[in-house]
Amino acid sequence: MKIGQAIKKINPNAEFTYLGEDLNSIQWLNGTTPIPVADIEAKLTELQAEYDANQYQRDRVYPTIQEQLDMQYWDKVNGTTNWEDAIAKVKADTPKP
């Protein structure tokens, strides 16, 4: 996670600048009250854990909506289960943790 994202989660109105990913390089601008480095580190850890916990969602690659609607149409016409099978495969390949 990025330092800027963590700072904005703590204080959406914060104005600051920093170099790279160096917490010690943060400069607070326009009267922004400095946020302690420990608080920023804690928020970075929290955001990373949230990101990691949702990895399975990013890994799930469903067919496009157009493809799914087409599958559903042809399943109805032909009495097949191609759409259900495709969705079940995605869910089986990338289960929730």
Side-chain angles (χ1 to χ4, degrees):
M1 289 286 113
K2 302 284 185 202
I3 291 172
Q5 291 172 314
I7 291 171
K8 287 295 188 177
K9 288 283 187 176
I10 296 169
N11 178 358
N13 299 315
E15 294 185 38
F16 56 93
T17 185
Y18 62 96
L19 299 172
E21 290 299 307
D22 182 6
L23 288 169
N24 296 316
S25 72
I26 299 171
Q27 294 180 358
W28 303 100
L29 308 173
N30 299 325
T32 298
T33 301
I35 299 170
V37 170
D39 292 353
I40 298 169
E41 288 172 335
K43 183 57 75 173
L44 283 167
T45 300
E46 176 187 322
L47 291 172
Q48 187 64 52
E50 182 180 316
Y51 180 84
D52 293 345
N54 293 316
Q55 182 65 44
Y56 81 94
Q57 290 175 330
R58 291 185 299 281
D59 290 342
R60 285 186 167 183
V61 181
Y62 290 98
T64 66
I65 294 298
Q66 291 84 356
E67 291 170 330
Q68 289 187 48
L69 290 171
D70 192 52
M71 281 188 244
Q72 289 175 351
Y73 171 79
W74 288 111
D75 281 349
K76 184 162 179 72
V77 169
N78 298 322
T80 57
T81 60
N82 292 326
W83 176 76
E84 290 176 7
D85 298 342
I87 299 305
K89 180 174 180 354
V90 171
K91 290 181 180 287
D93 290 348
T94 51
K96 288 184 178 181

